Amino acid sequence: MTVEVLYETRARATGGRDGKAETLSGSFKVDLTTPKELGGAGGAGNNPEELFAAGYAACFIGALKFVGGQEGVAIPAGTSITSTVGIGPRSEGGFGLEVALEISLPGLDGQVKEDLVAKAHQVCPYSNATRNNINVKLLIT
């Protein structure tokens, strides 16, 4: 597979799940905290799963807008995606993720929604990166 890179960014993390992460451009900085459910202290800060959930949701909306533009369908301004990312041990060993995307496209017909979501799932970079690696459920609300 070849990708014609149009944009790239760089980020650096230190300290692992209880450290810090930031883009090298300085536009984004975050303190990281391990959730209690994973044996950490919890508290203020974010974790990689939260960052992944936010990124996937935003990226999928971008994919919907891209597909909508190709199909001549305006994506409603009130479109939202709630992304749920779960982490836990895999039966094969190690840890794995699973994702559920609750997709709200208010004002569009049911079949139009289904077609847009299916096509967006084929073009979204996060969907392509996770395909056949992570269970992703698409729930149209």
Side-chain angles (χ1 to χ4, degrees):
M1 175 184 70
T2 303
V3 175
E4 179 186 342
V5 176
L6 300 176
Y7 168 79
E8 65 182 16
T9 187
R10 296 178 70 196
R12 177 175 293 123
T14 58
R17 287 182 165 271
D18 291 306
K20 297 184 181 302
E22 64 183 287
T23 58
L24 297 188
S25 69
S27 64
F28 176 76
K29 296 179 183 181
V30 64
D31 291 326
L32 302 171
T33 304
T34 302
K36 289 181 181 181
E37 297 86 348
L38 296 178
N46 296 97
N47 61 65
E49 292 72 35
E50 290 172 322
L51 301 175
F52 185 75
Y56 202 158
C59 191
F60 203 92
I61 290 174
L64 285 167
K65 289 179 177 181
F66 175 80
V67 170
Q70 289 185 324
E71 301 286 320
V73 177
I75 301 303
T79 295
S80 67
I81 295 180
T82 300
S83 176
T84 303
V85 173
I87 183 173
R90 298 175 347 125
S91 58
E92 301 87 353
F95 289 87
L97 300 173
E98 66 177 27
V99 175
L101 301 178
E102 295 174 50
I103 303 156
S104 175
L105 291 157
L108 293 182
D109 176 62
Q111 188 60 50
V112 171
K113 290 180 189 183
E114 288 182 29
D115 290 345
L116 287 171
V117 167
K119 290 175 182 175
H121 193 44
Q122 293 305 307
V123 301
C124 175
Y126 276 65
S127 293
N128 287 327
T130 61
R131 194 171 329 283
N132 300 319
N133 295 309
I134 295 176
N135 184 22
V136 177
K137 295 177 188 172
L138 304 174
L139 309 165
I140 301 171
T141 60

